[in-house]
Each structure stands twice: as C-alpha cells, then as structure tokens.
Amino acid sequence: MNQKALHTLEYDKIIEQLTECATSDPGRRKCRELLPMTEVSRIRKALTETGDAIARIFRNGSTSFGSNREFSGTWKALTIGAALDMKTLLSLADFLDNVKRVKAYGSSAGSRENAGGAPAEAVVSDSLTDYFHGLEPLPQVSREIRRCIISEDEMADDASPALKKIRREIGLTGEKVHDQLDRIVKGSAREYLQDAVITLRGDRYCVPVRAEHKSQISGIVHDQSSSGSTLFIEPAAVVELNNRLRELALEERAEIEEILRGLTAMAGEHVTAFSDNAVIMTELDFIFAKASLALSQNAVIPVFNEAHCFDIRKGRHPLIDKKKVVPIDVMSGRDYDMLIITGPNTGGKTVTLKTVGLLTLMGQAGLAIPAGDRSELSVFREIYADIGDEQSIEQSLSTFSSHMTNTVQILREADEDCLCIFDELGAGTDPTEGAALAVAILEYLHTRGIRTLATTHYSELKVYALTTPGVQNASCEFDVETLSPTYRLLIGIPGKSNAFAISQKLGLSQEIIESARAHIGQDEKRFEDLLADLETSRRTIEREQATIEAYKHEMEKLKAVYTAKQTKIDASREDILRQAHEEARDILRQAKTEADETIRAIRKSGDGVTLRELESIRTGMQQKISEKNEKLSAKEKNKQPQSTHRKLKPEDLHIGDSVRIVSMGLVGTVNSKPDKSGNLFVMCGIIRTKARIDDLVPVAEESAADQMKKFYGYGKKHEMDLTKAMHVRTEINLIGRNVEDALAELDKYLDDAYVAHLGSVRIVHGKGSGTLRRAVQEHLRTVPYVKSYKQAEYGEGDSGVTIATFAK
C-alpha cells in the first residue's frame, strides 16, 4: 500500500491510537508495524481474532501484558551460557508470572458458561485458544528465582547452604570486631579519640584518632580528615578480624556468582519456551490492543468480499468526536462502480471520501471499523487518494498542477483491483476546461472498471453521472434555512451549490442576485430548478416515510405487548388449573381418610351406636370442613382486591341465583331467602353454607376474563432498569491525586469492577509518604464486597500497589 495514501487518509493517526492500547513494548512495536493486507484469508483471520478478543473482554474484562519486554539479548545470553545478573533474572520471573496470569485469563473464558451447571468441557473455544494453550508459565523456574533473589541487589540467605554459612560467619566476625573496638572506644584510649565512634574506611573498621595521639594506638592508618587533625586508624587488635571479613566478603561474592550461574543454567534449559512465550505474548498484546481500540470506537467487524463492492452502513470517521460525527451510508460496486459527490463547501464531501478510504484501510489491516452491523468492505490491491491542496512554491507547482501531477500518477498505476479517490477533480483552472478534463478522466476510469469516488462542483459531472450507466450521483445535504450542512450523504440525488440562497441569507441584495441569475443559461437554470424540485420531493417523501415508520414501530410495540400479555394469561391459566387439581386431589384424599375413619368408628361401635354419637361424628367432620374453608377464604382475601360491587338487597336475590361468597372465595347458588338478620343459605357444591347478604356478590356482574385480569394485575406497567456492563480494566492508577479525589474515583471503580464480576483488581497509589496507601487500605476495610486486600509482591509494584479481592 502506497505511503502517500496512508498519510493522506490519516491511517498513521489510527496506528498511533492503536499503539496506545498496547501494554508492552514488543506489542507497541508490532502495532506500529501494522500495514493493510491484500490477501483476503489473512484479513479474515485477523478480523476473527480481533472479534474473539472483543468477546473475551466482554466476558472477563481486559488483561495486561506489561511484563513482556525486548528479551532478544537475554535469549542470546542464555543460548551461549553467559551468566545473568539478578535484575535480569527477576525480570524473567516477572515475565513468567505475567505468562501465568494471561494463561489463567485465557482458560477462564468459559467459566461463566459453566456457572449454570454445564459440563466442564463446554469451555468456549475460539481463534485465540491455541495462543493461550501455547503459553508455558514454567512455575518451577519462577519459584526458584524468587526463592533465591529478594531484590535487584540482594540475594536471599537461603539461596544456598554455603551462602547461609558464609553470612552467619560474617555476622559473628563482625560482632567480634565491634566488641574489640567498643573496648578501645570506651576504655582508656577514649581520651586519644576525636569521637567515640566506629567508622568504615575502605571496608575496614577504624576509629577516629587525634593526630597528636596517633602513637598511642597501634594499627594501620587508612585515611585522615581534610584538616589533618584526625586519623582513621585500624587498631592492630582487629586487623586479623578485618582481614577475615574481607575474605568472607570475597567468598560471599563468589557464592552469589555461583548461584547466579546455576539460575541462569536452569533458565537456559527452557530458552525455547521463553522465546515462544515472548512471541505469543506479543501477538496477544497486539490482538487485544486491536480489540481495545474497537471498543473505544464502538466499532464492528466488517464482512469482506473480493468483488470490489463495499456497503458501509452508518459509517463514522474515527478521528472525529463521536458526539459530533454524523454517520453516513455509502455503497458502490454492485449497481454502479463510480460515485460522484456534489454539494456546497464544508458540506462533508471530503469527510465522506476520507471515511470510505480510511475504513477500507482499517478493515484490510484487520481492525474493526466504526460502522453499523453487516457493513461490507472489499479487498483492494492499492488505494489512491488525491485529497487536499498540495501546491508547492519550491517546485513551482500551482494547486491545479499539484493535483494533476497526482492524477497522472494514479492513472498510470491504477487498475481494476484499485480504489481511486479524487477531491475536487479538475478544480483550480478554467471551469470549462477543468470540467472537460474531469469528465474525460472519469470516463477513462469507468471504461477500465476501476472503482472511483470523486467530489466536484461542476454541473457537467452531474449530467455525466445522470446519463452514464454504472455512474451514480450523490450529494451532501445542506439546510438552506439554517445555512448549515447536515452532513448526510444522499445517494442518487445530485447536489446544489446553493450559492444564491446562501448569499441571500447572508444579506446580498435581491437586485444583485437577480442579475446573477440572468447570467445563467436557460439550460443550466432549468437543470438547477429540476434539482430544486427533486430536493423538495425528496424531503416530502422522507417526512412521509418517517411518519409511516413511526406508526409501524408503534404497531410492533402494541403487538409485542399483546403477545406478552396473552402468553402470560396462557401460562397463568395452566398454573391455576394445575394448582386447582392439586388442591382438589388433597381435599379428596383428606375426605377419603375422614370417611374411612368414620366408617371404622361406626363399625367398631356396632349396633349399639346412638344418634347422639353419630351427630358428634358429623359435627367433627363439619368442623374440619369449616376450617378448610377458612383457610381458602384467607388465601382469597390476600389475592383479590377489595370488591367494588354495590350491596345486594333481599329483593335482589332469588333462589337459584349464582353468587360469590367474598370472604370465603366460593361460588354457589342461593338456597334460601334472607331472614330479618340478612342471613341465608348458599349451596357450594354439596355443602350448604350459611352466609350474610352483605358478603355476597352476583357472579354475572364480573366476567371470568375481568377476574383473571384483576387477579394477575394485567394492565399495570412493569419496568426494569437494565444497565450495560462496561469494559472495566483490572487496574486503576491513583498516582498524582489527592486523597479525597482518589477515594471518590476508587469508590466508583470498585463498584464497576464488582458489577463486572472481576475477581480482583490492582490499585496503583505509589509509594511516596504512604498517606495515599493508608487512605486506600483504610477505605477498603469499609467496602462490604471487598473480601480482602494485600500489598503487591516484588515485581508487581511492592508497597506502591494494593491488590483487592472481591467476595464471591
């Protein structure tokens, strides 16, 4: 892909944004080297990886590859057997720990799918699975390095038995030296000393002796003060001990070098695994950087074809503010292969050209594009773009000359596998000659089947597009009333420059405008009037279509509501019938049990049973039935709303009328007329029940459907507030903020991270005075869903980072 087009279409700025999304130096280097591809198989593979990375971020959040570095020199040293220093070995341990975290992140991709009880083998597999499986954390190497090395300049005492023995002897010998020197400093020699202190000079323990008393303390002079009044003498009593300390220091250094050689040899056995890990980590960092860029741009994965057809839906220029950019729909290659865009200046013509060119470059580079779903792109061998004013005083090139130079080169190199983009083709010279040249150039490209987009103000090109098969007009809409562009691209409609209308709105006198109109030829005037009529008709049709769409949308909503209600009614009916059958079965079972017990009691009593005993048995059964009715009545009262029916009068009731006993929830027929107290009998099935008239309502006054609606509350609005899970990083950086601002930002971040189901997060607060660290840790104690927190280990940030773990 030619560098001029990449620069003209601002592809390099997209690469800068992509580079910022990578988390490691090798990943950033790979991002900077990304160029558009021309093999459709490679493009589709890259887009599939980008899409799978986006899906993983949605499921599990993002991850970091920050411990991956440029290890090429380290691998070479391991290959030739050169010993590595402690800093390099620690960086390898950090790298392996990072590999372990990334591998765990990759294997957790299906954990949420398995949470519902699915089999463990149902883990999601995608195009990135092999990358994660290829990582080897080498935990034994990492553990051994961290066991032996505490920091970049400190080896652990337990790194080897020999080192531990040497350091123990160093400690004992040092104590002996201090004991000897303490006796000198605190004894009779105190009067000869400048100060009662013990000091070091060249790794030798000395005492400061006044120059005039140097003969009073025998030993070796190692230094003197700048004034010469003090000599630093190593007393003879500790010379041998100091010599031993020196020997032990050399032994310690030699043992440390031996340990480093052993650690290096152990790492060298896995140099291939180290190298493979670095390659995979770099590739994954690059892929997830593309995914992060896509999320920041709200981009989608386009569909690619090899037919040189593109259909960009709701495409947005990625370098324009998302809140201000107006999406456009643009297509070419099927019904037509050339698109000529007209319209006023600042109407969005050039932005349209750049959007098409830049999105095509991004897609061919394996990047998601900021557009709508099902947007389609094609593979082009080259994209040529002549956009902007490139006049050069040094090369004596005018605007027209610079454009024509570019055009000549494009015509010489372009073929049917290329996409050509021209801004203001033929501009910068005599309009008549410029229009003729523009038509000839477009005709040449059209004849060769080269996909072309061009902008122009020339009416001749509008006519050419109207009269030539395979060439289509388009325009950028302009609102004359507000004197501002809408930036909408209208395909199939040629645009107007609107020079007269704009001039009139800006205050140019009507006399001058009418004079200008008189200078326009009749053919051109009729053509402009035709365009104006087409524009008016288009606006009318669009308004009518918008109204129709609104009605259609409303009908769909009503249909969905009706379907949902009907589904709920059907489901509720099934539940009611099932529950009724179950209750009936229980009642029958209980009735059978009571009947069996009664029969057994009668048989047991034999012929000697009295009427009083039988009445007692009947009364007991009636009491149990009443208790059951009271329970049903209580349930009915809880379920049904307060009755709003009018009160019945005695004359309203007739024997055989269907009524409902409100307090009991039973339906029956009137069996007797009410007495003076308003009491009457109602037959509910085989049971004759006594009820009051003010507790009855006629059944006919309320249909079954109305009862169903009241019972289940149909017609009420039920709303649910759904919030979208945002991409939340696993780390927050609070360095540079004061405590109040940092805690406010941390509180919101913890809420987002917990809602996003992150297991743990890293809180970077820096070391400094420790005030921010203490405030953060004190705040974590008060957060109910934070299970625990701890200071990061060496290599993860030490005391400058706190790791918080959420409760499950």
Side-chain angles (χ1 to χ4, degrees):
M1 200 67 66
N2 66 91
Q3 292 297 321
K4 179 177 174 55
L6 297 180
H7 177 72
T8 300
L9 297 173
E10 299 178 291
Y11 175 80
D12 50 344
K13 294 182 179 178
I14 299 298
I15 294 302
E16 291 177 5
Q17 293 182 354
L18 176 64
T19 302
E20 293 175 359
C21 294
T23 58
S24 68
D25 289 338
R28 285 186 278 268
R29 172 177 49 77
K30 191 170 181 64
C31 289
R32 284 190 289 268
E33 296 172 352
L34 178 62
L35 291 174
M37 298 170 282
T38 56
E39 297 177 20
V40 69
S41 59
R42 292 179 59 202
I43 294 172
R44 288 171 177 163
K45 178 178 181 294
L47 289 173
T48 299
E49 292 174 345
T50 303
D52 289 340
I54 293 173
R56 284 177 178 264
I57 290 176
F58 274 127
R59 287 196 301 267
N60 304 314
S62 59
T63 188
S64 174
F65 304 86
S67 296
N68 183 27
R69 304 174 186 175
E70 297 291 353
F71 285 117
S72 55
T74 304
W75 309 151
K76 186 175 181 180
L78 289 176
T79 303
I80 63 178
L84 302 179
D85 57 21
M86 288 189 285
K87 179 179 179 181
T88 303
L89 286 168
L90 278 177
S91 68
L92 289 181
D94 291 342
F95 173 66
L96 291 177
D97 291 343
N98 197 179
V99 170
K100 180 180 178 181
R101 290 194 297 271
V102 171
K103 189 176 182 69
Y105 170 87
S107 63
S108 68
S111 59
R112 303 207 176 192
E113 288 75 2
N114 294 338
E121 59 269 17
V123 174
V124 172
S125 179
D126 55 27
S127 62
L128 304 181
T129 302
D130 289 341
Y131 288 112
F132 289 108
H133 286 172
L135 292 173
E136 295 186 41
L138 303 175
Q140 71 280 9
V141 177
S142 176
R143 282 196 301 268
E144 183 63 15
I145 292 175
R146 295 205 180 279
R147 185 187 70 82
C148 295
I149 303 176
I150 297 176
S151 66
E152 295 179 1
D153 52 5
E154 183 179 0
M155 182 73 71
D157 292 346
D158 295 329
S160 73
L163 181 62
K164 188 172 185 178
K165 179 181 178 182
I166 292 171
R167 286 184 173 175
R168 186 185 302 111
E169 188 173 352
I170 288 175
L172 293 174
T173 306
E175 289 178 2
K176 292 179 181 179
V177 171
H178 279 81
D179 289 342
Q180 291 285 352
L181 293 177
D182 279 342
R183 283 196 289 270
I184 295 173
V185 169
K186 297 177 182 178
S188 58
R190 170 67 183 87
E191 58 182 299
Y192 307 127
L193 304 180
Q194 191 73 29
D195 293 298
V197 296
I198 301 171
T199 184
L200 274 174
R201 284 297 183 271
D203 295 331
R204 310 288 287 192
Y205 286 102
C206 305
V207 292
V209 180
R210 294 173 182 169
E212 61 270 22
H213 299 299
K214 65 179 181 179
S215 60
Q216 300 299 323
I217 296 179
S218 61
I220 302 172
V221 177
H222 286 281
D223 199 1
Q224 69 177 5
S225 65
S226 57
S227 62
S229 60
T230 303
L231 299 178
F232 297 95
I233 298 176
E234 178 186 8
V238 298
V239 170
E240 289 300 323
L241 292 174
N242 275 334
N243 288 340
R244 180 57 183 158
L245 281 177
R246 182 62 179 165
E247 293 172 0
L248 290 172
L250 294 175
E251 292 178 13
E252 178 188 31
R253 183 182 305 171
E255 181 60 23
I256 289 175
E257 291 176 355
E258 183 63 28
I259 294 171
L260 291 176
R261 280 193 294 270
L263 293 174
T264 301
M266 179 181 62
E269 295 175 359
H270 306 281
V271 65
T272 302
F274 271 111
S275 179
D276 292 344
N277 283 338
V279 171
I280 294 174
M281 290 282 282
T282 301
E283 188 67 26
L284 285 174
D285 190 13
F286 168 65
I287 293 171
F288 276 85
K290 294 192 294 180
S292 298
L293 179 65
L295 291 173
S296 68
Q297 296 176 344
N298 194 21
V300 300
I301 303 299
V303 178
F304 259 87
N305 65 70
E306 297 180 85
H308 300 153
C309 304
F310 60 84
D311 182 4
I312 299 174
R313 307 182 181 196
K314 305 298 180 185
R316 307 178 304 277
H317 196 288
L319 299 178
I320 300 178
D321 188 346
K322 290 187 289 187
K323 298 179 180 178
K324 298 179 180 179
V325 65
V326 177
I328 61 170
D329 295 330
V330 57
M331 64 187 72
S332 179
R334 287 190 171 86
D335 299 330
Y336 50 89
D337 56 24
M338 181 174 291
L339 194 63
I340 298 176
I341 306 173
T342 52
N345 289 325
T346 71
K349 301 190 301 299
T350 303
V351 172
T352 298
L353 296 182
K354 286 190 172 184
T355 300
V356 174
L358 183 55
L359 296 194
T360 301
L361 290 174
M362 290 175 64
Q364 291 190 214
L367 299 174
I369 63 172
D373 290 333
R374 295 178 290 114
S375 291
E376 189 172 356
L377 297 175
S378 183
V379 181
F380 293 100
R381 179 182 60 82
E382 280 285 359
I383 297 178
Y384 296 101
D386 179 40
I387 300 175
D389 186 0
E390 299 184 7
Q391 61 178 331
S392 172
I393 296 177
E394 294 180 357
Q395 299 179 12
S396 300
L397 291 177
S398 65
T399 298
F400 175 76
S401 299
S402 64
H403 279 296
M404 189 52 61
T405 300
N406 293 334
T407 302
V408 170
Q409 182 179 358
I410 292 173
L411 295 178
R412 183 185 302 119
E413 299 179 0
D415 56 26
E416 62 275 8
D417 293 327
C418 300
L419 173 64
C420 296
I421 299 174
F422 298 96
D423 188 23
E424 301 292 352
L425 183 62
T429 187
D430 177 75
T432 302
E433 293 181 356
L437 278 172
V439 170
I441 291 170
L442 293 178
E443 180 66 26
Y444 174 80
L445 293 169
H446 180 54
T447 302
R448 298 179 62 190
I450 299 174
R451 302 293 184 264
T452 305
L453 280 78
T455 66
T456 185
H457 286 287
Y458 294 140
S459 297
E460 290 85 347
L461 269 66
K462 303 175 189 178
V463 174
Y464 171 74
L466 288 171
T467 57
T468 306
V471 182
Q472 183 65 278
N473 267 308
S475 60
C476 290
E477 188 180 47
F478 190 85
D479 191 340
V480 179
E481 296 299 324
T482 61
L483 294 181
S484 60
T486 65
Y487 301 106
R488 291 179 57 205
L489 182 68
L490 307 174
I491 295 180
I493 301 175
K496 293 181 59 180
S497 64
N498 294 302
F500 292 158
I502 295 173
S503 300
Q504 186 175 4
K505 283 285 184 180
L506 293 175
L508 190 64
S509 68
Q510 187 65 30
E511 179 183 355
I512 296 176
I513 291 175
E514 291 300 327
S515 176
R517 291 184 187 277
H519 287 81
I520 298 179
Q522 290 299 317
D523 291 340
E524 293 181 357
K525 186 176 182 181
R526 283 195 294 270
F527 182 70
E528 290 296 323
D529 291 341
L530 175 62
L531 293 181
D533 292 340
L534 286 173
E535 178 67 13
T536 302
S537 299
R538 181 191 63 79
R539 290 178 180 272
T540 302
I541 293 172
E542 280 190 351
R543 284 195 296 268
E544 293 176 351
Q545 286 181 338
T547 303
I548 293 172
E549 286 295 324
Y551 284 136
K552 183 179 179 182
H553 182 65
E554 185 66 23
M555 290 177 63
E556 291 292 335
K557 287 175 61 178
L558 292 174
K559 180 181 178 182
V561 171
Y562 171 77
T563 303
K565 286 186 175 181
Q566 188 62 41
T567 302
K568 187 175 181 181
I569 290 173
D570 293 341
S572 300
R573 184 191 303 114
E574 293 296 329
D575 290 340
I576 292 171
L577 291 174
R578 178 180 53 78
Q579 185 176 358
H581 289 153
E582 290 177 355
E583 291 182 357
R585 182 187 62 207
D586 293 340
I587 292 172
L588 289 174
R589 183 185 295 112
Q590 185 176 356
K592 183 179 181 301
T593 302
E594 296 292 340
D596 291 342
E597 290 178 356
T598 303
I599 292 171
R600 282 195 296 271
I602 293 173
R603 288 176 177 174
K604 183 177 180 181
S605 300
D607 297 336
V609 64
T610 64
L611 290 175
R612 181 175 294 179
E613 292 173 342
L614 290 175
E615 179 62 23
S616 175
I617 294 173
R618 188 192 70 80
T619 302
M621 293 183 66
Q622 181 65 32
Q623 180 66 28
K624 291 180 179 179
I625 292 173
S626 298
E627 292 176 357
K628 186 68 176 179
N629 287 339
E630 288 177 2
K631 292 180 180 179
L632 292 174
S633 177
K635 291 182 180 179
E636 191 69 18
K637 287 180 179 178
N638 291 333
K639 291 181 180 178
Q640 290 219 354
Q642 186 67 28
S643 175
T644 58
H645 290 287
R646 63 182 177 85
K647 291 184 178 181
L648 292 175
K649 298 178 180 178
E651 57 268 21
D652 294 334
L653 289 176
H654 304 86
I655 295 176
D657 288 349
S658 295
V659 294
R660 174 182 291 276
I661 305 175
V662 176
S663 62
M664 300 175 66
L666 298 177
V667 177
T669 57
V670 177
N671 190 251
S672 69
K673 297 289 283 185
D675 59 17
K676 294 180 180 180
S677 301
N679 296 322
L680 72 159
F681 286 97
V682 178
M683 288 297 295
C684 298
I686 63 172
I687 301 174
R688 189 168 184 258
T689 303
K690 189 176 182 179
R692 291 186 56 80
I693 190 172
D694 55 6
D695 194 28
L696 301 180
V697 293
V699 173
E701 291 184 15
E702 185 177 35
S703 68
D706 291 337
Q707 293 181 39
M708 186 74 73
K709 288 184 178 179
K710 287 186 177 181
F711 187 76
Y712 287 100
Y714 292 140
K716 298 179 181 178
K717 291 186 178 180
H718 299 280
E719 298 178 354
M720 183 176 294
D721 183 19
L722 298 177
T723 56
K724 186 185 291 186
M726 300 175 63
H727 158 62
V728 180
R729 289 185 174 271
T730 57
E731 179 180 287
I732 181 173
N733 192 334
L734 302 178
I735 294 177
R737 294 165 177 76
N738 59 44
V739 171
E740 183 178 356
D741 293 342
L743 292 183
E745 184 175 351
L746 174 61
D747 201 50
K748 180 181 182 304
Y749 170 76
L750 290 174
D751 288 344
D752 293 342
Y754 182 68
V755 171
H757 300 289
L758 297 185
S760 62
V761 294
R762 288 166 48 87
I763 305 169
V764 181
H765 41 64
K767 299 179 180 179
S769 64
T771 302
L772 183 56
R773 179 182 71 252
R774 290 191 294 272
V776 166
Q777 295 180 352
E778 188 66 28
H779 179 71
L780 291 176
R781 291 193 186 98
T782 65
V783 180
Y785 49 80
V786 172
K787 178 180 179 182
S788 62
Y789 64 90
K790 63 177 183 178
Q791 178 177 306
E793 298 177 358
Y794 177 81
E796 294 183 346
D798 295 311
S799 60
V801 174
T802 296
I803 299 176
T805 303
F806 293 116
K808 296 296 183 181

